[in-house]
Amino acid sequence: MDIPRSVSALDAVRRVGGFLPVADVVDLMPEVLVLDPSSVLIGADVELERGVVLYPGTVLETRAGGSISVGAGSRLGPGAVVIVATAARVTIGSGVELGPGTVTITATGVDVGVGDGARLSGGCVVEGPAVLGAGSQVLGAVSVRDAVLGAGGDHGEPDPDRRAGVVKGVGRVHGARVGVGEVVVGGAVVGRGTPTTSLVVERQRAHHPDAPSN
């Protein structure tokens, strides 16, 4: 395809920054659905499987030998989704939802793994090391680091005791270990509205008392 001079200049800047030129992003289609190629930045060592959807504003950046892989059918957006892998690997499984809302994932020297069917949304930030098991959820303006969320049913699982680990709310949640059927609420309050200073792991059923039980 013929590329206008203005686009060629943009591509030169992209290459300096370590990103694919616009034409290469376009060439990912139709296997990868890139909704606005000119606003999507994809680094050199990024693997996208068939059926991935990239909304406008997606940034997949690799630095210092880092790599990113995104599994089949995952959706990045709507909302700005930024993944930066620096001397580390970020692995996004199949059928993952990043968005709606901003989602930021950073791995610097330590890996981040997001399992199949996980859901991250609403302004969350995930920093490595982190292992977010299949079906897990990180919801809201919460900053998660050094976290392990147990794999289980996804958000569509009717029985909360079978759902994967969840972190939600606001503020910092560092060092969390959240098992199947459990949830940590960042920024939770106790007493007369004083924020908690330590992580409180609850059963998800406490937030869904009328949900069915298998």
Side-chain angles (χ1 to χ4, degrees):
M1 59 180 292
D2 293 331
I3 302 176
R5 180 175 299 178
S6 60
V7 176
S8 297
L10 175 60
D11 285 343
V13 175
R14 283 173 172 249
R15 288 190 179 96
V16 170
F19 297 104
L20 299 179
V22 175
D24 287 4
V25 176
V26 171
D27 286 343
L28 295 172
M29 299 188 285
E31 287 79 11
V32 175
L33 184 57
V34 186
L35 301 182
D36 183 12
S38 65
S39 74
V40 171
L41 298 176
I42 300 176
D45 195 0
V46 175
E47 178 183 358
L48 304 171
E49 294 187 9
R50 181 180 292 272
V52 169
V53 180
L54 304 180
Y55 281 77
T58 298
V59 177
L60 306 176
E61 182 171 1
T62 55
R63 305 173 180 172
S67 63
I68 299 170
S69 63
V70 182
S74 291
R75 303 179 71 89
L76 280 59
V81 174
V82 177
I83 302 176
V84 181
T86 305
R89 181 167 183 81
V90 176
T91 304
I92 307 296
S94 300
V96 171
E97 298 179 19
L98 303 183
T102 60
V103 174
T104 303
I105 299 174
T106 60
T108 304
V110 287
D111 297 345
V112 172
V114 180
D116 297 346
R119 182 172 66 155
L120 287 68
S121 67
C124 67
V125 175
V126 175
E127 301 176 73
V131 178
L132 311 182
S136 61
Q137 300 180 76
V138 180
L139 310 173
V142 61
S143 174
V144 175
R145 186 175 70 195
D146 184 23
V148 177
L149 276 57
D154 63 17
H155 64 278
E157 165 59 51
D159 184 351
D161 293 323
R162 295 177 177 268
R163 292 178 191 163
V166 175
V167 174
K168 64 180 182 178
V170 299
R172 295 186 300 172
V173 175
H174 294 175
R177 301 294 184 266
V178 187
V180 176
E182 295 180 341
V183 58
V184 168
V185 182
V189 295
V190 295
R192 296 183 178 180
T194 303
T196 58
T197 57
S198 60
L199 300 180
V200 177
V201 180
E202 303 176 86
R203 296 299 299 176
Q204 293 183 39
R205 180 165 293 281
H207 298 263
H208 307 280
D210 298 325
S213 177
N214 294 328

